[in-house]
Amino acid sequence: MELEEELILYKKEAVEKHEKGFQKVVRQVGFFAKDLDLSLSDPFKDVKDGILLDENELAAKEEAADEEQEAEEYGDDA
């Protein structure tokens, strides 16, 4: 097996383990909080400022905040 193929295999295995771990935690939360609706749970989403965002939205929001902060620090004419 070539090195690139082996790397792809390891990456795939790592992703599968993380997904299985996420599902395991979702089942545990469902066990402990039976009335909680977890249907919108997604390992590729996160909560930022009280809003559930996917990774792309979160990255865009953080980039916009960084740009705004830079504009405030250096002024609009920088």
Side-chain angles (χ1 to χ4, degrees), residues 16-39 41:
E16 288 174 0
K17 284 185 179 185
H18 285 284
E19 287 176 351
K20 286 180 180 179
F22 175 79
Q23 292 302 323
K24 184 178 182 179
V25 169
V26 168
R27 289 190 300 272
Q28 290 177 18
V29 170
F31 174 78
F32 290 114
K34 295 186 185 333
D35 295 332
L36 186 62
D37 178 12
L38 300 174
S39 64
S41 299

Side-chain angles (χ1 to χ4, degrees), residues 2 9 23 26 28 36 46 49 51-52 59 66 69-70 76:
E2 289 189 29
L9 178 65
Q23 292 302 323
V26 168
Q28 290 177 18
L36 186 62
D46 199 356
D49 299 327
I51 301 170
L52 183 64
D66 290 345
Q69 183 177 3
E70 287 178 12
D76 292 330

